[in-house]
């Protein structure tokens, strides 16, 4: 008879009278419904004699690798397609969209801007729906919706049709980025998640390079079936999105409790780490409080009332506004340095490649060191250096180097900041709402697209003092907000340590502490 592992010896659990033994050799757990599987795993990790030592025999790296190869590729593809469908209107404009639809004055800019209003407004509702309806259903469904909308943009006949389509595209796409950011926190504890967020976010760089190339090839279909080339850009890219979305229904996993590629013990280990994430490892069992997974509107209210979310929002604006500025005007800035258009386009490639590499490397070290703020603040100071170089000299080499430094500093800061906030929000539904607020309102920076031409004015070339100066202002605001977060986190952590030492947590029930989430005495903020 095979000797059982320590966890198998300790834990014989029952869920809904199923008498299911939770060990890798038993296949009974896989025959349960998803609801019963979740109940069985949750019951196992709630046993008072279960601790991290109970899972010491498991290979953590192999478990994370199995999760990585099933989650990250499909999520990266989804984000790449989202980025394509969100930005292909710029490629279509070059191919004659404005002329075909007889757009006048600021109508094109309004079509751009309308997307961001609904995109920002629906972040929080979408995150809450993702948890309630399951990721494997919600993410592919909103993808099908925006793919259909993108395809239909290819047949609009006037400004009103384009504007309406862009408004609905914002609603459909709102759930993807913040949804995936939240979704990854359901699988990875707080010191393993940033590098995964970075890999996922790096798809934006790939999409930026791929978008122009794809649009260029599609433009040669001009006249086929009596349709202009710009219409084919929307039609073909929209159809591609729908096809990939339909396939993704079969490749997106819901929660660790129901992941068939993990043994029941491995599922329990993943869930255990997540449930007690956010507390010092040296806490004794009496101080160990499970994070709440309760679905209730009070957690949404708590998110809107949480000071740290609003301060984090200022940090978000500190790099996201410069990110939009770089994304919109990088080719123009380089062209104004005296390079030809084709050369200017090519010179953007090494900048984005280097930024993607830096994003993953910074995330790796931030996870390994278990800190966030030093990397975020250092990145924002490098942004200042880069933009200062651009302002201080009209020399092409100095300006290019400044843009290079600024871009390589901006890209790693985004996954670092969203991970920092997710680390410090306890309770599944509060985290969903908080990330939605941060990313939703943070992306109001996209509304500046309508006014961006007034920031980087042609007569300011090649130094663009106004545009770069505004980026320095946003970055400085973000740095001040980041220092404010660090100061308050340190102060609160120190106070809670004293309270725990005085045994003040004993005046609360475990349920009360769980409901308090990141406001509980037992919770520790990540710095």
């Amino acid at each position: 008879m095979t000797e059982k592992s320590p966890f198998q010896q300790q834990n014989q659990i029952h869920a809904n009278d199923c008498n299911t033994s939770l060990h890798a050799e038993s296949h009974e757990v896989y025959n349960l419904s998803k609801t019963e599987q979740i109940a069985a795993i949750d019951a196992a990790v709630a046993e008072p004699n279960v601790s991290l030592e109970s899972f010491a025999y498991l290979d953590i790296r192999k478990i994370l690798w199995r999760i990585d190869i099933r989650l990250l590729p499909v999520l990266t593809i989804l984000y790449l397609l989202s980025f394509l469908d969100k930005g292909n209107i710029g490629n279509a404009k070059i191919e004659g969209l404005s002329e075909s639809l007889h757009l006048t004055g600021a109508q094109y800019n309004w079509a751009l801007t309308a997307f961001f209003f609904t995109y920002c407004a629906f972040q929080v509702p979408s995150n809450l729906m993702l948890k309630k309806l399951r990721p494997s259903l919600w993410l592919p469904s909103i993808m099908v919706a925006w793919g259909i909308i993108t395809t239909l943009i290819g047949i609009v006949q006037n400004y009103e049709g384009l504007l309406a389509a862009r408004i609905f595209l914002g609603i459909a796409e709102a759930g993807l980025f913040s949804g995936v950011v939240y979704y990854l926190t359901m699988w990875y504890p707080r010191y393993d998640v940033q590098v995964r967020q970075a890999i996922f976010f790096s798809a934006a760089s790939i999409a930026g390079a791929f978008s122009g190339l794809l649009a260029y090839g599609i433009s040669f279909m001009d006249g086929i079936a009596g349709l202009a080339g710009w219409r084919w850009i929307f039609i073909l890219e929209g159809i591609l999105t729908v096809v990939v979305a339909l396939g993704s229904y079969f490749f997106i996993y819901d929660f660790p409790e129901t992941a068939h590629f993990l043994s029941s013990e491995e599922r329990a280990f993943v869930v255990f780490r997540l449930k007690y994430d956010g507390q010092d490892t040296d806490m004794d069992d009496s101080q160990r409080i499970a994070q709440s997974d309760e679905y209730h509107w009070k957690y949404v209210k708590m998110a809107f009332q949480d000071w740290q979310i609003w301060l984090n929002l200022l940090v978000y604006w500190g790099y996201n506004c410069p990110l939009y500025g770089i994304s919109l005007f990088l080719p123009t800035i380089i062209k104004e340095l005296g390079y030809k258009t084709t050369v200017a386009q090519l010179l953007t490639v090494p900048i984005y490649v280097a930024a993607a590499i830096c994003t993953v490397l910074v995330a790796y070290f931030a996870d390994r060191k278990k800190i966030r703020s030093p990397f975020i603040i250092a990145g924002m100071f490098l942004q200042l250096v880069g933009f200062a170089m651009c302002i201080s000299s009209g020399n092409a080499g100095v300006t290019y180097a400044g843009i290079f430094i600024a871009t390589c500093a901006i890209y790693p800061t985004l996954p670092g900041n969203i991970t920092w906030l997710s680390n410090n929000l306890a309770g599944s539904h509060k985290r969903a709402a908080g990330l939605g607020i941060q990313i939703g309102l943070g992306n109001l920076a996209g509304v500046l697209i309508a006014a961006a031409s007034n920031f980087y004015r042609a007569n300011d070339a090649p130094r663009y003092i106004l545009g770069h100066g505004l980026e320095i202002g946003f970055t400085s605001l973000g740095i001040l907000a980041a220092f404010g977060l660090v100061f308050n986190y340190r102060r609160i952590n120190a106070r809670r340590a004293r309270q725990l030492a005085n045994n003040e947590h004993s005046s609360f029930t475990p349920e009360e502490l769980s409901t308090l989430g990141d406001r509980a005495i037992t919770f520790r903020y990540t710095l």
Side-chain angles (χ1 to χ4, degrees), residues 446-492:
V447 175
L448 294 176
I449 289 176
S453 58
N454 296 321
F455 294 168
Y456 285 92
R457 302 174 301 191
N459 60 342
D460 289 339
R463 293 171 66 183
Y464 292 103
I465 293 177
L466 175 62
H468 295 321
L470 286 169
E471 309 296 24
I472 288 175
F474 282 121
T475 303
S476 299
L477 175 66
I479 290 173
L480 290 175
F483 275 119
L485 282 166
V486 172
F487 173 79
N488 280 290
Y489 285 153
R490 287 188 182 279
R491 178 179 58 82
I492 295 171

Side-chain angles (χ1 to χ4, degrees), residues 300-331:
V300 178
K301 182 180 179 181
M302 287 170 64
F304 276 98
Q305 295 175 339
D306 195 333
W307 63 272
Q308 63 167 323
I309 293 175
W310 299 102
L311 210 50
N312 256 293
L313 180 59
L314 296 181
V315 178
Y316 196 102
W317 272 74
Y319 58 82
N320 206 38
C321 290
L323 176 61
Y324 274 112
I326 291 291
S327 301
L328 286 169
F329 293 100
L330 183 55

Side-chain angles (χ1 to χ4, degrees), residues 28 55 59 116 128 134 168 191 287 289 391 406 495 507 517:
E28 293 179 30
F55 304 96
D59 190 325
F116 285 96
L128 297 177
R134 304 196 323 269
F168 283 104
Y191 298 130
Q287 299 168 342
I289 302 299
I391 285 181
R495 185 186 69 215
S507 61

Side-chain angles (χ1 to χ4, degrees), residues 54-72:
S54 305
F55 304 96
Y57 59 93
L58 296 176
D59 190 325
I60 299 176
R61 290 186 178 181
K62 286 184 178 179
I63 295 172
L64 289 175
W65 172 247
R66 287 208 295 276
I67 296 173
D68 289 342
I69 61 175
R70 285 167 175 83
L71 266 59
L72 297 181

